[in-house]
């Protein structure tokens, strides 16, 4: 018998899971799963995000990283990034300093903010200021720019980079439980000049 569950909170927002092909990959906290079996490992099917539909398991000796029941959810997040003002407005949370790379800036328009895909080593140097600095939210792939993310840091290569690094954990906590109504996004960002 299967049961809805989710990945519990962790120290840095990620929990390693063993996939059915033997690969070890990190899953973000609050990711919805369908628990299929438990013994010394919790076996499950991932229900959302980049690994949706894939089977994986997590060792549960010494305590489980899985919590049974539906994950706590909040309404989808709305964000506006004003490129020329270097300002990010998270509706309902506040305004933050943010930049993009002037030569290849984040494209204008409305973009989905995806569930985090994997820990990003580019955030490692900021973990002394933000626990979740390695958690980046994808905005998609854009021709001429490449992969674009919402993340914290001091430099940008075309992403929306939050310079208020000490406030990243607050932004992260606001985003991680939100869903847009389908299985891969937490909300939307509107990028303006």
């Amino acid at each position: 018998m299967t049961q809805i569950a989710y990945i519990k909170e962790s120290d840095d927002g990620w929990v390693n899971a063993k996939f059915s092909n033997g690969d070890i990959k990190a899953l973000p906290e609050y990711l919805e799963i369908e628990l299929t079996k438990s013994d010394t490992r919790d076996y499950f099917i991932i229900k959302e995000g980049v690994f949706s539909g894939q089977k994986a398991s997590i060792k549960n000796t010494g305590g489980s990283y899985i919590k049974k029941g539906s994950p706590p959810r909040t309404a989808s997040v709305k964000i506006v990034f004003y490129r020329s003002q270097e300002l990010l407005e998270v509706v309902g949370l506040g305004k933050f300093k943010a930049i993009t790379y002037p030569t290849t800036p984040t494209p204008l328009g409305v973009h989905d903010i995806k569930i985090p895909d994997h820990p990003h080593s580019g955030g490692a140097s900021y973990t002394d200021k933000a626990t979740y600095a390695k958690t980046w939210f994808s905005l998609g792939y854009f021709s001429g720019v490449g992969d674009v993310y919402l993340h914290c840091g001091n430099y940008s290569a075309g992403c929306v980079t939050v310079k208020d690094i000490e406030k990243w954990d607050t932004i992260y906590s606001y985003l991680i439980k939100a869903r847009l109504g389908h299985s891969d996004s937490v909300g939307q960002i509107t990028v303006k000049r």
Side-chain angles (χ1 to χ4, degrees):
M1 181 174 190
T2 63
Q3 184 173 10
I4 293 297
Y6 62 95
I7 305 296
K8 287 192 336 187
E9 292 179 8
S10 66
D11 292 340
D12 67 352
W14 296 95
V15 173
N16 284 333
K18 184 176 183 178
F19 281 65
S20 58
N21 66 0
D23 288 349
I24 305 295
K25 297 178 184 176
L27 299 176
E29 59 188 12
Y30 299 110
L31 188 73
E32 185 175 321
I33 61 172
E34 184 178 323
L35 192 59
T36 58
K37 175 183 155 187
S38 290
D39 47 40
T40 59
R41 301 186 71 82
D42 290 320
Y43 294 86
F44 54 88
I45 300 168
I46 300 166
K47 301 303 289 180
E48 58 184 358
V50 295
F51 301 118
S52 182
Q54 295 189 41
K55 295 178 180 179
S57 67
I58 298 173
K59 187 184 281 189
N60 65 19
T61 53
S64 179
Y65 287 100
I66 306 288
K67 188 161 185 172
K68 294 177 181 176
S70 295
R73 290 289 182 242
T74 58
S76 64
V77 174
K78 292 183 182 176
I79 297 177
V80 181
F81 175 49
Y82 302 93
R83 290 190 326 198
S84 62
Q85 296 176 42
E86 297 186 345
L87 180 71
L88 184 78
E89 182 179 2
V90 182
V91 178
L93 188 60
K95 297 178 180 179
F96 307 90
K97 295 177 195 169
I99 58 169
T100 189
Y101 192 64
T103 308
T104 53
T106 308
L108 299 173
V110 179
H111 314 293
D112 282 359
I113 305 166
K114 306 291 186 183
I115 295 169
D117 49 9
H118 61 86
H120 289 258
S121 59
S125 59
Y126 304 108
T127 56
D128 60 328
K129 296 179 183 176
T131 300
Y132 303 106
K134 292 192 291 184
T135 302
W136 297 13
F137 295 84
S138 175
L139 307 180
Y141 180 87
F142 300 93
S143 179
V145 181
D147 291 323
V148 175
Y149 287 87
L150 171 64
H151 64 88
C152 71
N154 287 318
Y155 307 99
S156 179
C159 295
V160 177
T161 306
V162 176
K163 296 221 17 143
D164 285 328
I165 298 167
E166 299 82 8
K167 297 177 182 175
W168 178 250
D169 287 351
T170 301
I171 296 169
Y172 164 87
S173 296
Y174 197 70
L175 297 177
I176 196 65
K177 295 178 189 174
R179 292 296 182 269
L180 184 59
H182 50 78
S183 66
D184 66 350
S185 297
V186 300
Q188 292 185 318
I189 184 168
T190 302
V191 180
K192 299 186 175 183
R193 288 193 193 282

